[in-house]
Amino acid sequence: MIQNASNILLQRYVRTASGDLFFSTTAIVCQELVKLVVSFLLLYMESFSLRELTNTINQQIVNNRLDSIKTGIPAFLYTLQNNLIYLAISNLNAAVFQVTSQIKILTTAILMVVMLKKSLRCLQWFSLFLLCVGVSIIQVQNVNVAKSSGDDQKNAFFGLICVVVACTLSGLAGVYFEKILKNSKVSIWVRNIPLAHCGSFISLLSAFVSDGE
């Protein structure tokens, strides 16, 4: 809860602060690189042996390229999602974004039912329905506030679209990644290494395309 709340507040602050702003695409590259370093560190901490770390990487990543390539799909989805989140947080206030982003719970649940064949109890479906009602109420209030300015209203609608798409991508990437983990005995830190590696490459390519100049 603390991590999610502070993450949204800090993202909103740095995207609305006065002065020159950083490129969001560059921030995403740095984010993926940090994930890569931390994944290597946590994998090393499982044995505290460089030889064991090297053997694990060679056996489960380098020699198992086809399995590692599968992580390129969620890496691409996460990179696209992160870009949309920066667009959304730049057009919505922190409270509205925080509430609206909870739609990812709904999208993840639906995709788990479709892709992983999981079943939800009636109480869980009712909880998801209440979540949708709450998000809808917040959005109606947000639109009413934004009506004072045509541009603000347009920005609020654009931010809403970005959040919805980002939440859908988040659910899809999360469920797909879980499906990969369930069909494999590989450590989650081993899985995170090719995921962060692919994410770094895709986000770096995105940064050059968007902000090459």
Side-chain angles (χ1 to χ4, degrees):
M1 180 186 68
I2 294 173
Q3 187 270 334
N4 283 334
S6 60
N7 182 40
I8 298 304
L9 291 173
L10 289 171
Q11 279 188 313
R12 175 63 182 174
Y13 172 74
V14 297
R15 296 311 293 171
T16 57
S18 58
D20 293 334
L21 298 179
F22 60 87
F23 292 124
S24 60
T25 51
T26 305
I28 295 172
V29 174
C30 295
Q31 175 180 313
E32 294 300 326
L33 291 175
V34 169
K35 285 182 185 178
L36 185 62
V37 172
V38 171
S39 296
F40 271 113
L41 179 62
L42 290 171
L43 184 60
Y44 169 75
M45 290 174 63
E46 288 185 347
S47 61
F48 289 98
S49 170
L50 287 176
R51 177 177 294 180
E52 187 68 27
L53 174 65
T54 304
N55 291 335
T56 301
I57 292 173
N58 285 330
Q59 293 175 7
Q60 300 185 5
I61 298 178
V62 178
N63 297 332
N64 197 12
R65 295 182 185 88
L66 183 60
D67 201 43
S68 299
I69 290 174
K70 294 179 182 178
T71 59
I73 296 175
F76 172 76
L77 295 175
Y78 279 132
T79 302
L80 187 56
Q81 171 210 341
N82 289 331
N83 280 283
L84 289 171
I85 286 176
Y86 274 107
L87 287 174
I89 200 66
S90 300
N91 291 278
L92 296 172
N93 65 58
V96 172
F97 178 83
Q98 179 72 298
V99 174
T100 309
S101 64
Q102 300 310 307
I103 295 176
K104 63 186 175 185
I105 299 175
L106 174 64
T107 58
T108 302
I110 293 175
L111 289 167
M112 288 181 71
V113 171
V114 174
M115 296 177 63
L116 301 181
K117 308 300 181 183
K118 286 197 172 184
S119 58
L120 300 179
R121 298 190 301 272
C122 293
L123 181 60
Q124 291 172 314
W125 282 114
F126 181 67
S127 300
L128 293 173
F129 170 74
L130 290 181
L131 173 65
C132 291
V133 172
V135 171
S136 299
I137 292 173
I138 290 295
Q139 287 306 319
V140 169
Q141 294 176 343
N142 186 43
V143 170
N144 290 334
V145 171
K147 281 184 178 179
S148 59
S149 172
D151 291 335
D152 289 341
Q153 189 174 357
K154 186 185 298 183
N155 292 341
F157 181 74
F158 177 73
L160 172 62
I161 296 298
C162 290
V163 171
V164 172
V165 176
C167 289
T168 303
L169 294 176
S170 173
L172 181 59
V175 172
Y176 181 83
F177 194 53
E178 181 177 344
K179 189 173 183 179
I180 293 177
L181 290 175
K182 285 194 171 183
N183 295 330
S184 174
K185 297 180 180 179
V186 176
S187 165
I188 187 172
W189 308 127
V190 174
R191 281 295 184 192
N192 270 320
I193 289 174
L195 179 66
H197 184 269
C198 292
S200 300
F201 175 76
I202 295 171
S203 57
L204 185 61
L205 183 62
S206 173
F208 275 109
V209 172
S210 301
D211 305 304
E213 294 181 2

